[in-house]
Amino acid sequence: ESGVPRPNVAHINTFEVEYSNTQDKLYSFGFSGGVDRLTADASGVQFVSNIPTINGGRIRFDNGLIYGSRGGVVDPNTGLMKGSFTGLDFFDSIMTTDVPNGRAYFLTTDGSAANAVLRAYDLNTFIPLGTVSFPIPPSSPSSPVTTLIRWGTNGLALRNGSNVVFIQSSLVSNSGLVPTPTPTPSPSPS
């Protein structure tokens, strides 16, 4: 508050921090190879313990669990792995969850970051539900795809550099209309 440092500082190397469903619990992912459990109060942030995980990747806290962008799911209270989504050993994958519809979504890009693959899974059984591939607008290597969120009735939105891309698919939800893709025009023969 007002730029005043707190006396307690957690000395960890982290890539990102994720809030839990209570204001005193935080989770981070970094060089430790697992998820760090942290507590926060008026005196600052303190390291509690490290939860080893398989797969790793960026993390998301939802519905009491930590989801990793490479497929691992862990219960941060018990430290036990709950399961793993398969086929996601990609360094550049991002993910989001949709608890009301019982789905998890993972997005990966190819080496050129010109094409993306969206994978949907059952959130409770970890079973794959389907995939869809599509081109994405180009961005610079310093601005890769960084954000994937649930949007609207049957959509997801992703951030790719300065671009925001909206995806509507029955893979997300059967509710609402899904637009029919416009065919790419091909040159007419001369």
Side-chain angles (χ1 to χ4, degrees):
E1 293 163 75
S2 302
V4 177
R6 303 293 180 204
N8 291 332
V9 177
H11 296 283
I12 55 175
N13 292 318
T14 188
F15 298 124
E16 64 184 73
V17 174
E18 187 72 18
Y19 291 94
S20 72
N21 53 353
T22 64
Q23 64 184 9
D24 63 334
K25 290 182 184 177
L26 302 169
Y27 305 101
S28 72
F29 171 76
F31 290 109
S32 68
V35 174
D36 294 324
R37 293 190 319 179
L38 311 168
T39 58
D41 59 25
S43 66
V45 177
Q46 293 183 36
F47 174 82
V48 176
S49 65
N50 179 272
I51 306 164
T53 62
I54 57 171
N55 304 355
R58 296 177 178 168
I59 60 171
R60 173 178 172 78
F61 179 87
D62 198 3
N63 202 33
L65 300 172
I66 299 278
Y67 297 87
S69 64
R70 293 189 196 156
V73 181
V74 66
D75 181 330
N77 293 317
T78 65
L80 298 175
M81 289 294 298
K82 300 299 276 186
S84 183
F85 300 100
T86 59
L88 294 167
D89 195 21
F90 300 98
F91 182 72
D92 59 350
S93 66
I94 57 174
M95 66 90 56
T96 193
T97 52
D98 181 4
V99 173
N101 287 316
R103 297 202 176 164
Y105 305 98
F106 294 83
L107 185 100
T108 56
T109 56
D110 63 13
S112 68
N115 297 296
V117 176
L118 175 68
R119 291 173 171 83
Y121 292 83
D122 184 290
L123 196 59
N124 300 304
T125 64
F126 306 103
I127 294 173
L129 300 174
T131 64
V132 63
S133 300
F134 54 93
I136 56 175
S139 72
S140 70
S142 62
S143 299
V145 177
T146 57
T147 307
L148 180 67
I149 61 168
R150 182 70 170 79
W151 167 77
T153 305
N154 56 7
L156 295 164
L158 67 97
R159 182 173 156 228
N160 182 28
S162 61
N163 301 301
V164 176
V165 178
F166 297 98
I167 307 160
Q168 286 184 286
S169 170
S170 57
L171 195 58
V172 177
S173 172
N174 290 327
S175 300
L177 296 174
V178 175
T180 303
T182 305
T184 304
S186 57
S188 59
S190 327

